Amino acid sequence: LVRGLMKDRAEQYRETGPTRLSVGRHKAVQYEIRATVMGFKQRMLHTSVEGTHYTHQILLWTNDKNWDKQQSKFDKIVRSFREHKADAPPRRRAAGTVALKTVKARDGVTTLGVPTHYKDMPKLNAQAAIRQADVVKNVFLVTLTEPKSTVAHKTLQAYDGAVTELMRAAVKGAKFSPPKTLTINGMPALQRRLTGNAGGVNLSYLVTFLDGKGYYHQILIWTVASVWPQNEALFRRIAGTFKQIK
């Protein structure tokens, strides 16, 4: 996720990795990045460390000419990293007290309620009808809408099965919880939790499929796995606001 944001802002972006290592007894993944930033050629070392309750990002960089001199120093700096506070992070506001705003899909078919500080993030998914993010807290969401006339699946269960298989192929070590049957604003829905690894980062997703009038819908909301417990109730509340308006 961090590298994706960097990629959007840099030119001639290239990355090598992931390299898996241990940092302070925690699992970590590391990428070497080359990019041109504001006209200057930069070399970066990006390390993501999966702590006890936190995911840590370490970014070290220098200009291209100094890379060979700095590389060993960067490695020592990364390996010196320690997580001293292993306590769980402070509790967040209860999901029901977070103010939501209504976002209308680009195709005008649906709406979704999201926290007021979420921002539109078009590069999350070019095909998504709604794409929102809280980049600071590593929370991302997209919705997708498909006319039933364009898919072969005749039931919500069949649609759920086909799409989850595609997700299983895209997310390393993907594990789905059993589907929960519910109704969201009059639409039958199936909801699951997906856990797995993407880009070297352990993630947790709330995946919801809905059977609308003439459409099937998907809601995907995800974050790093270590902060799922603090976000689950809010994610379920967000999914529960989904409406088809035409």
Side-chain angles (χ1 to χ4, degrees):
L1 303 176
V2 172
R3 295 192 315 281
L5 294 172
M6 292 168 58
K7 192 172 184 178
D8 290 342
R9 291 163 171 78
E11 299 175 0
Q12 299 177 330
Y13 180 97
R14 289 184 295 161
E15 65 179 43
T16 304
T19 299
R20 304 188 183 280
L21 64 157
S22 177
V23 176
R25 294 183 296 179
H26 297 293
K27 292 180 180 179
V29 291
Q30 190 173 79
Y31 291 81
E32 183 183 323
I33 299 166
R34 298 183 182 207
T36 300
V37 181
M38 299 180 67
F40 295 95
K41 291 183 178 181
Q42 302 285 334
R43 295 279 289 273
M44 308 176 196
L45 192 66
H46 172 225
T47 309
S48 178
V49 182
E50 192 74 24
T52 305
H53 295 288
Y54 302 84
T55 297
H56 309 280
Q57 309 291 335
I58 308 170
L59 264 177
L60 300 164
W61 68 94
T62 185
N63 61 55
D64 193 57
K65 293 180 179 179
N66 285 332
W67 176 256
D68 290 338
K69 296 179 181 178
Q70 299 297 331
Q71 193 172 9
S72 62
K73 294 179 181 179
F74 285 179
D75 183 65
K76 290 179 181 179
I77 291 171
V78 169
R79 292 184 182 278
S80 72
F81 181 86
R82 296 291 183 272
E83 181 185 70
H84 293 292
K85 184 177 180 181
D87 298 334
R91 292 177 63 94
R92 296 189 179 187
R93 293 172 60 189
T97 66
V98 176
L100 303 182
K101 63 182 178 182
T102 299
V103 176
K104 189 174 182 179
R106 294 186 300 143
D107 57 12
V109 175
T110 61
T111 63
L112 185 72
V114 303
T116 54
H117 63 281
Y118 281 24
K119 303 295 183 185
D120 184 48
M121 193 172 182
K123 302 235 173 160
L124 270 179
N125 187 311
Q127 285 75 46
I130 296 173
R131 43 279 171 100
Q132 294 277 310
D134 178 353
V135 176
V136 173
K137 295 180 180 177
N138 287 322
V139 174
F140 304 86
L141 74 83
V142 298
T143 71
L144 298 104
T145 292
E146 294 187 277
K148 292 180 179 178
S149 60
T150 65
V151 298
H153 316 296
K154 302 303 180 186
T155 66
L156 180 62
Q157 288 73 16
Y159 184 73
D160 167 277
V163 178
T164 53
E165 281 307 304
L166 293 175
M167 292 180 178
R168 203 181 297 277
V171 178
K172 185 176 180 181
K175 294 182 180 179
F176 285 92
S177 67
K180 179 180 179 182
T181 302
L182 61 162
T183 300
I184 295 178
N185 290 310
M187 290 178 285
L190 294 172
Q191 192 171 79
R192 302 168 178 266
R193 180 186 176 189
L194 163 63
T195 58
N197 188 287
V201 179
N202 292 326
L203 301 173
S204 288
Y205 302 74
L206 183 68
V207 182
T208 309
F209 300 103
L210 302 99
D211 188 350
K213 185 176 180 180
Y215 298 93
Y216 288 122
H217 308 285
Q218 303 174 39
I219 309 168
L220 307 178
I221 314 174
W222 69 96
T223 188
V224 292
S226 58
V227 297
W228 168 264
Q230 301 97 285
N231 286 287
E232 180 180 5
L234 176 60
F235 289 1
R236 295 188 187 278
R237 181 185 170 208
I238 290 171
T241 68
F242 187 85
K243 293 180 181 179
Q244 181 175 324
I245 58 175
K246 71 183 250 188

